[in-house]
Amino acid sequence: MDAKSYTDGLADLRELRDQIKPLERQLKKLQADRDKKIAALGAYEKAKADRLATSAGLSVIDVVALAPHLGPQAPASGPTGDEVATESAVGRSGAEAPAQAIKEPVGTLAPDLSTPPAPVEQQETEEQEQDSVPAAAAVTDENMAPAPPSPAPAPQPAGDAPARELPSIPEGLDGDRWFRAESSLLSTRPNFRQAVRQMAFLDAATGVLVWQGGKASLELGRASVAEILAAVYATVPPTIERIYVTGGDPWHRNAARHEFLRDAVAEWLNGPLPEGWQVESSRGKDRQAGHLVHPRNPVGRWQRGDQHTEIRSVGEWFDPEGADPETVRQAFVELWKALHEQWRDVVLMGSPSQTGRDLWTRTIPDKAGARWADGYPVMSQEIRGLIHATAGQGRTELMGPPRMPAKVPGWFELDRTFAYAKHCWSSGVGVPQRMTAAAFAGLSEKEQANALYSPSHWQVRVTIPDGWDHVGLLPAAAPGERNWHYPYEPGRTFTTWAGGAEINLALRNPLMPWRVEILDGLVWEKGDPLKGWATKLKDAWSYLQSWSTSHGDERMRLAYRLASRAVRSILLYGIGTLAQRPKVTTGSVELHADGSTPEIPDGAQITGITDTHVTWQRHGGFARDPYAHPEWAAGVWSAARAALLSTHQSVVTERDKTTGKAKVGKGVPAGALHLPAGSILAFRTDAIYTTVRPDWPYSGQPGDYLLKGAMDWEQTTPTSDTEFFVLQGLGRQALEAEGQ
């Protein structure tokens, strides 16, 4: 850069400053008007903080700050002080009781049961995913004899932000009312077939376009929305309704001009359009309107009269690994063929999550007289909100200095193959039973073990034993809306929520049992609503995997490999859709000619501003979704996190000569707790990164650990995600070179 460029840049910067200032003033005025409106509405005697928060697009705690009398009031005999519960993610009607922040139970502490009783014998089967036998957990009951107090919590490092409070179930009848199913809301098998959308595949860098009718090379210029729509529909018929971008990521072309990728994506989606085109405003029942502003895999939707189209990233389904559009299209063809063997009415929808959910609905029992033939009940909004707020997803953790030395002797990546497929055999169905501390104390040791083995979700107080020197076992809330960390310091006590799989692991891990006190819990009847779906996906995945290594044509091997990864995405994201997070709607509006902000939807928050548009998002709470089952997703995630620590690596004993299917034995212990203390560098969902190379056999079965990266020489310990991903890439390259 020379002096002239620098001077011109400063002039551009001042121009941007002058454009931003009126928008900032406009935004501040709107926010002040909103705050006044909240305070005025809060004076209404029946006003509810959660209702105001939803309408204003704020958190409950922000609303309470403006109208303090709407916050929870301390009971006459309860704690004093300015206790305000953080917002739980529960979508509630005005009559519903709000979730309470966790408070330490008042009464006698539970006895120390860290020494486990005699184990309960249980035959391990395919449906039983726990790899260790549970102990009876400690309980809290005011009628029990007093016990020595728990060790004091380990001090929190100075400067750390306080962890968010997790909600709990209200005491008495208020909490008991949560344990119900939503009226007239059942998951039933659909009686229609999804509409088929014709697809085209475009490399935005090279201009190569492939569709069922042929192949062409397009001139795309800078690959703006206008240039892509004009060039594609000058070449293909209007019946093409979905354009998958396989390379080039055109929405990132101006990323250098923006601080956040999301703003670059929003600018691209909202660029000028060819004559006759507009942002989509309405669709049929199985379609969505408007754009999805995602930093890496956005979805743009437009229409021209009755013609509708989407531009999507193929990265939603798999990393194309540089494959050309023809190979990517072949991968989708092979994906459909493999799924068609399992579902005769399969239709590939826009995303793997939509496809996974649709395929699952087509496995719901509908035979008269069958269990749940009338449909699976959907839990109350309160229970769904509780699970949403207290059940995390995959474990993501980086152990940098000072926890690890600055230099480590090696880097090894172990990734679980098609992991979630192994944890879909058993799930909780029906309305859960509440298991309070007193109720749990009244059970026999065997009944306690059975409760912990059942599909369940527990509020617990945990104490890490003295002498513990390995990774943390149970998640605890960390600062941030959805963040979790895993305490590991000996003697530390914390209160959290965790699934039954993780509680059992804490009580019966291969090193030493943790002390767990049951405070409250939800226990479901055991069923298998996901088993048939996961089995079909596993069979499709196995078929594609076999051809990805045995086909004679290299391009077809790549197509089969990409298709198998798409099946993995269908399972992974299909489970995610069951969680049914509170609905978030995104959109954008064009700025007025004078630069002022136009009206945005009620309750929306501004998330980005470009030269021409304002991007917004609105939290809509929980919808009345007949296929919302966060209890199933939470159970799968909990079992997968537990298996990340301790499981069994499969060993194939023989294969069926006709079908080629493997007969699998129990195998050898595997997981982070079966590696030396101090050797774990990181966790990433279903992968372990360690300083030692384990000798676990690999048979290619779902849940098995596959060595994906290896560098058996000294490495600098990563201290950030950027450094981590650099080592991840180098480790994979080194292992590939090692095998050549």
Side-chain angles (χ1 to χ4, degrees):
M1 177 181 292
D2 54 23
K4 183 178 184 306
S5 299
Y6 179 71
T7 303
D8 291 343
L10 291 176
D12 292 340
L13 194 60
R14 287 191 292 271
E15 183 179 345
L16 287 172
R17 177 200 63 195
D18 294 339
Q19 292 174 0
I20 291 171
K21 277 185 176 179
L23 296 177
E24 289 179 335
R25 288 194 293 269
Q26 176 79 3
L27 181 58
K28 287 179 180 178
K29 181 179 182 302
L30 290 171
Q31 289 173 334
D33 291 344
R34 177 199 62 199
D35 293 348
K36 290 179 183 177
K37 191 71 172 177
I38 290 172
L41 292 173
Y44 177 52
E45 61 180 3
K46 295 184 179 181
K48 298 287 186 182
D50 58 324
R51 298 290 297 277
L52 287 171
T54 299
S55 298
L58 296 174
S59 70
V60 171
I61 199 167
D62 290 334
V63 170
V64 170
L66 296 168
H69 63 283
L70 297 179
Q73 305 301 311
S77 60
T80 59
D82 300 325
E83 294 185 357
V84 178
T86 57
E87 178 186 14
S88 72
V90 184
R92 298 181 291 266
S93 66
E96 291 164 350
Q100 301 171 348
I102 288 178
K103 299 181 179 67
E104 295 300 311
V106 177
T108 306
L109 288 171
D112 184 0
L113 294 183
S114 58
T115 302
V120 178
E121 297 298 328
Q122 182 160 338
Q123 181 72 27
E124 181 169 311
T125 65
E126 188 179 45
E127 288 74 17
Q128 179 58 52
E129 288 301 318
Q130 309 303 331
D131 292 295
S132 55
V133 182
V139 298
T140 300
D141 186 352
E142 295 181 11
N143 297 321
M144 298 182 68
S150 302
Q156 194 167 341
D160 280 6
R164 71 187 186 282
E165 288 184 298
L166 296 177
S168 61
I169 305 170
E171 296 180 1
L173 293 177
D174 286 341
D176 293 342
R177 279 192 282 266
W178 288 22
F179 291 79
R180 69 181 195 281
E182 287 288 347
S183 61
S184 305
L185 203 60
L186 294 168
S187 303
T188 57
R189 186 193 287 256
N191 57 7
F192 65 92
R193 181 173 179 171
Q194 296 288 357
V196 176
R197 315 293 177 199
Q198 297 298 320
M199 298 178 280
F201 300 86
L202 173 69
D203 187 325
T206 64
V208 174
L209 176 72
V210 177
W211 71 103
Q212 187 176 12
K215 178 180 178 181
S217 293
L218 309 181
E219 290 293 334
L220 296 179
R222 289 190 52 79
S224 67
V225 171
E227 289 167 318
I228 289 176
L229 291 177
V232 168
Y233 285 105
T235 308
V236 304
T239 51
I240 298 290
E241 296 185 72
R242 197 171 287 148
I243 303 168
Y244 281 111
V245 175
T246 65
D249 294 349
W251 38 81
H252 291 161
R253 292 289 173 89
N254 291 327
R257 295 175 48 190
H258 299 275
E259 184 178 0
F260 302 106
L261 277 179
R262 189 185 188 93
D263 293 336
V265 171
E267 180 185 50
W268 184 83
L269 289 171
N270 293 306
L273 296 173
E275 184 177 355
W277 286 93
Q278 65 182 41
V279 176
E280 185 179 66
S281 58
S282 63
R283 286 266 215 166
K285 288 184 179 180
D286 63 339
R287 310 189 189 194
Q288 296 174 300
H291 304 320
L292 172 63
V293 184
H294 187 280
R296 299 198 179 277
N297 296 317
V299 180
R301 301 183 177 99
W302 297 270
Q303 66 183 89
R304 179 172 57 181
D306 293 333
Q307 179 186 355
H308 297 266
T309 194
E310 293 180 333
I311 297 180
R312 311 183 72 113
S313 169
V314 80
E316 292 180 87
W317 293 85
F318 47 71
D319 177 1
E321 301 180 14
D324 59 74
E326 209 165 3
T327 303
V328 172
R329 181 182 178 275
Q330 190 62 44
F332 274 79
V333 170
E334 300 306 329
L335 171 65
W336 182 86
K337 288 179 180 178
L339 294 175
H340 188 252
E341 289 297 314
Q342 309 297 329
W343 286 275
R344 307 310 292 182
D345 53 354
V346 61
V347 171
L348 295 182
M349 302 181 71
S351 68
S353 59
Q354 293 170 327
T355 305
R357 178 165 169 164
D358 181 66
L359 294 178
W360 170 72
T361 64
R362 297 172 194 279
T363 64
I364 297 174
D366 63 350
K367 185 177 180 180
R371 181 70 165 139
W372 309 111
D374 294 332
Y376 292 108
V378 174
M379 298 300 93
S380 69
Q381 289 191 46
E382 294 92 340
I383 292 294
R384 282 182 282 147
L386 178 75
I387 295 172
H388 165 71
T390 61
Q393 297 186 31
R395 180 170 181 170
T396 299
E397 191 176 13
L398 183 65
M399 288 75 157
R403 187 172 175 181
M404 295 290 290
K407 298 286 186 179
V408 290
W411 169 276
F412 300 93
E413 177 186 359
L414 296 142
D415 186 51
R416 294 187 71 212
T417 300
F418 204 32
Y420 284 5
K422 190 176 180 182
H423 304 296
C424 293
W425 306 115
S426 178
S427 303
V429 289
V431 176
Q433 174 189 359
R434 184 177 187 180
M435 187 66 68
T436 63
F440 192 83
L443 300 178
S444 69
E445 184 176 299
K446 182 177 180 180
E447 289 170 332
Q448 289 178 344
N450 287 339
L452 290 168
Y453 258 126
S454 297
S456 52
H457 190 58
W458 301 94
Q459 184 186 20
V460 292
R461 183 164 51 232
V462 183
T463 301
I464 303 174
D466 292 334
W468 184 260
D469 64 352
H470 220 294
V471 296
L473 304 185
L474 294 175
E481 183 184 356
R482 294 289 301 163
N483 291 336
W484 300 87
H485 68 129
Y486 295 80
Y488 62 92
E489 305 89 344
R492 180 169 179 174
T493 295
F494 59 98
T495 301
T496 190
W497 284 85
E502 292 166 289
I503 298 297
N504 277 304
L505 179 75
L507 293 164
R508 284 283 192 243
N509 69 78
L511 302 180
M512 64 175 69
W514 285 25
R515 182 175 186 264
V516 177
E517 301 172 51
I518 298 296
L519 305 178
D520 214 336
L522 300 85
V523 180
W524 283 268
E525 176 185 338
K526 185 181 292 186
D528 57 1
L530 302 179
K531 182 179 178 180
W533 174 70
T535 299
K536 288 174 179 286
L537 289 176
K538 185 176 72 170
D539 288 346
W541 173 83
S542 298
Y543 167 80
L544 294 167
Q545 277 285 99
S546 66
W547 279 109
S548 72
T549 57
S550 61
H551 199 283
D553 181 85
E554 182 178 352
R555 188 178 71 85
M556 286 299 297
R557 288 198 300 272
L558 175 57
Y560 278 115
R561 183 164 72 248
L562 297 180
S564 72
R565 291 179 181 174
V567 175
R568 176 185 178 275
S569 295
I570 288 172
L571 180 88
L572 185 71
Y573 296 119
I575 290 170
T577 63
L578 294 171
Q580 200 245 345
R581 302 299 183 193
K583 184 178 180 181
V584 177
T585 305
T586 63
S588 61
V589 290
E590 191 171 0
L591 292 173
H592 291 149
D594 61 359
S596 61
T597 306
E599 183 178 355
I600 61 176
D602 184 37
Q605 294 175 303
I606 294 176
T607 58
I609 300 177
T610 69
D611 293 342
T612 58
H613 286 77
V614 171
T615 306
W616 55 265
Q617 71 176 21
R618 179 172 57 188
H619 295 267
F622 287 94
R624 277 186 58 81
D625 184 349
Y627 301 114
H629 291 284
E631 69 276 16
W632 299 347
V636 172
W637 294 332
S638 175
R641 290 193 299 268
L644 200 61
L645 301 171
S646 184
T647 185
H648 281 89
Q649 191 88 334
S650 303
V651 173
V652 175
T653 56
E654 59 180 292
R655 289 188 180 272
D656 186 287
K657 295 180 180 179
T658 304
T659 65
K661 288 188 175 182
K663 184 176 181 180
V664 180
K666 184 175 180 178
V668 300
L673 296 183
H674 300 280
L675 295 171
S679 68
I680 306 301
L681 290 164
F683 292 109
R684 279 296 188 279
T685 306
D686 49 13
I688 299 172
Y689 298 82
T690 177
T691 63
V692 298
R693 185 196 293 248
D695 57 355
W696 303 333
Y698 179 72
S699 62
Q701 297 300 301
D704 282 359
Y705 282 98
L706 169 67
L707 185 66
K708 290 187 70 174
M711 294 185 287
D712 57 358
W713 57 89
E714 186 178 84
Q715 302 294 327
T716 300
T717 303
T719 60
S720 67
D721 284 347
T722 300
E723 294 175 359
F724 167 84
F725 287 119
V726 168
L727 283 176
Q728 183 191 65
L730 292 174
R732 293 178 179 180
Q733 292 174 15
L735 182 64
E736 185 178 355
E738 183 181 305
Q740 292 176 351

